[in-house]
Amino acid sequence: DAKTTQPNSMESNEEEPVHLPCNHSTISGTDYIHWYRQLPSQGPEYVIHGLTSNVNNRMASLAIAEDRKSSTLILHRATLRDAAVYYCILRGNQGGKLIFGQGTELSVKP
Amino acid sequence: DADVTQTPRNRITKTGKRIMLECSQTKGHDRMYWYRQDPGLGLRLIYYSFDVKDINKGEISDGYSVSRQAQAKFSLSLESAIPNQTALYFCATSDSAGPGRTDTQYFGPGTRLTVL
């Protein structure tokens, strides 16, 4: 499975946008880019995923570089409730198991 | 009601004891997974199952076994618990991959296991 690299931690102010980067230089052509987050004392939850085009949903946006070697998860207006560990994960087109890295711990200041 | 439930939520046991952690889901998914999480680390896959007759080892299956009793139930056993199996254990489910399916994984609330 191809590997991802994320910063260990990031800080944001409440109600400001947050850009969480992920590098995946060894991504294969069929790998999807998935993002999950884990709120304190909870199991991970799905945030968004994409293949080549940028994606938007009610939680976030995913911007994928043209060469697909990096991507950015965008939270448009961070809230205190968005404080969590965010995981960027690559998955083949057959789905199945998730390989978690260390993720980025996002803290949000009031 | 939660879609993915885990029992027990907390368990303290002693070295050498047999422990079973149970997971049930009402999402009708074929695929189920067991992960463990150690403090400050991401989740690591222990076992996974793509249907009732299918069992696969993950990254760290040594010391664990599983049973897929039905589509909705997937149990994780520690035959003889040891202290380094102290961790947070998560069960997850997902639909089969295929056209129009995201194969999103849905996680349970976790079981905190302490082995003394």
Side-chain angles (χ1 to χ4, degrees):
Chain A
D1 295 296
K3 190 176 172 175
T4 64
T5 304
Q6 299 176 252
N8 288 334
S9 62
M10 291 184 66
E11 275 190 356
S12 172
N13 294 317
E14 196 176 12
E15 298 189 4
E16 290 186 356
V18 182
H19 292 234
L20 296 163
C22 181
N23 288 317
H24 29 78
S25 58
T26 60
I27 190 171
S28 74
T30 55
D31 283 341
Y32 285 78
I33 302 158
H34 286 246
W35 283 82
Y36 281 73
R37 72 179 185 180
Q38 187 173 17
L39 301 170
S41 302
Q42 295 188 28
E45 64 175 350
Y46 168 81
V47 177
I48 200 166
H49 79 284
L51 183 61
T52 55
S53 304
N54 295 344
V55 184
N56 301 295
N57 67 18
R58 65 175 180 79
M59 290 180 72
S61 296
L62 177 59
I64 301 172
E66 200 167 327
D67 64 5
R68 299 206 333 121
K69 294 186 176 181
S70 66
S71 60
T72 302
L73 179 71
I74 302 166
L75 307 179
H76 294 285
R77 287 180 74 238
T79 69
L80 297 178
R81 203 186 164 280
D82 290 322
V85 179
Y86 287 79
Y87 297 99
C88 169
I89 301 167
L90 302 183
R91 299 182 76 184
N93 59 1
Q94 295 305 307
K97 56 188 179 179
L98 293 172
I99 305 297
F100 285 81
Q102 300 249 18
T104 296
E105 183 170 10
L106 175 67
S107 57
V108 180
K109 295 184 291 184
Chain B
D1 287 338
D3 295 318
V4 184
T5 57
Q6 294 183 231
T7 55
R9 294 293 314 279
N10 287 284
R11 182 73 184 267
I12 299 173
T13 191
K14 294 182 179 180
T15 297
K17 293 290 188 182
R18 184 177 187 276
I19 295 296
M20 179 180 286
L21 308 183
E22 301 198 12
C23 178
S24 294
Q25 52 111 349
T26 58
K27 298 189 77 67
H29 288 164
D30 289 327
R31 300 180 171 188
M32 297 187 74
Y33 311 81
W34 275 105
Y35 295 88
R36 73 175 268 177
Q37 185 172 35
D38 295 282
L41 299 179
L43 282 71
R44 291 182 292 168
L45 183 64
I46 306 173
Y47 271 97
Y48 60 103
S49 168
F50 281 1
D51 67 36
V52 175
K53 296 186 178 70
D54 178 71
I55 299 290
N56 304 282
K57 292 184 177 181
E59 303 170 72
I60 52 163
S61 59
D62 286 349
Y64 301 95
S65 62
V66 291
S67 172
R68 184 81 185 268
Q69 304 94 318
Q71 186 201 40
K73 295 185 184 298
F74 193 35
S75 300
L76 176 72
S77 293
L78 288 67
E79 296 300 326
S80 179
I82 55 177
N84 76 2
Q85 291 177 313
T86 293
L88 194 51
Y89 290 84
F90 288 101
C91 173
T93 76
S94 71
D95 204 349
S96 302
R101 295 182 176 182
T102 64
D103 194 31
T104 297
Q105 289 197 10
Y106 297 87
F107 286 79
T111 294
R112 186 170 297 281
L113 177 66
T114 303
V115 183
L116 301 177

